[in-house]
Amino acid sequence: QVQLVESGGGLVQPGGSLRLSCVVSGSGLRVNILAWYRQAPGKERELVASSKDDSPTTYADSVRGRFTISRDDAKNTGFLQMDSLKPMDTGVYYCHALVSKTTWLSPTAYWGQGTQVTVSS
């Protein structure tokens, strides 16, 4: 069974930093794509950053230069380093992964449960 568990959210003042982590658990897995989405109150879920095998990382225009996505493939763990945080960054952050396994016919997508990030003074 595959599970995505996020951590690292919390309350931070404007200009501060947070680092989110996402552990993809399950035996014999390979993470093909790891991405972070966020959903602000009353708004749709949006893509924040994405890391795909053999491709450049991508970022939403609103976070480029402030957020950095990274992966530790040996541990099937993804990270989102968030610097210079703004109140507009407030929301629930979700980890999303496209995962493959040698015994599967095709890759499968999974979501984490979400972690709250609040940027406020």
Side-chain angles (χ1 to χ4, degrees):
Q1 185 173 355
V2 178
Q3 283 190 315
L4 275 60
V5 179
E6 301 114 330
S7 61
L11 173 64
V12 64
Q13 292 187 341
S17 297
L18 284 175
R19 188 185 194 216
L20 306 183
S21 298
C22 173
V23 178
V24 182
S25 64
S27 61
L29 301 176
R30 182 173 183 273
V31 178
N32 303 110
I33 301 173
L34 190 137
W36 291 92
Y37 288 74
R38 70 184 178 192
Q39 188 166 19
K43 295 188 177 181
E44 294 186 354
R45 192 173 297 187
E46 63 172 350
L47 177 65
V48 175
S50 177
S51 172
K52 181 179 179 181
D53 289 349
D54 302 321
S55 297
T57 53
T58 59
Y59 296 93
D61 289 342
S62 59
V63 308
R64 189 175 291 111
R66 300 187 298 120
F67 290 11
T68 303
I69 187 172
S70 61
R71 291 163 53 173
D72 182 345
D73 289 336
K75 298 180 179 180
N76 279 344
T77 300
F79 305 95
L80 185 67
Q81 177 66 40
M82 305 186 294
D83 299 317
S84 303
L85 282 161
K86 305 175 181 180
M88 61 169 283
D89 296 318
T90 294
V92 179
Y93 283 70
Y94 297 90
C95 178
H96 180 266
L98 186 68
V99 177
S100 61
K101 195 172 183 178
T102 54
T103 56
W104 295 351
L105 292 177
S106 59
T108 304
Y110 294 88
W111 289 94
Q113 81 286 355
T115 185
Q116 176 70 43
V117 171
T118 302
V119 185
S120 175
S121 55

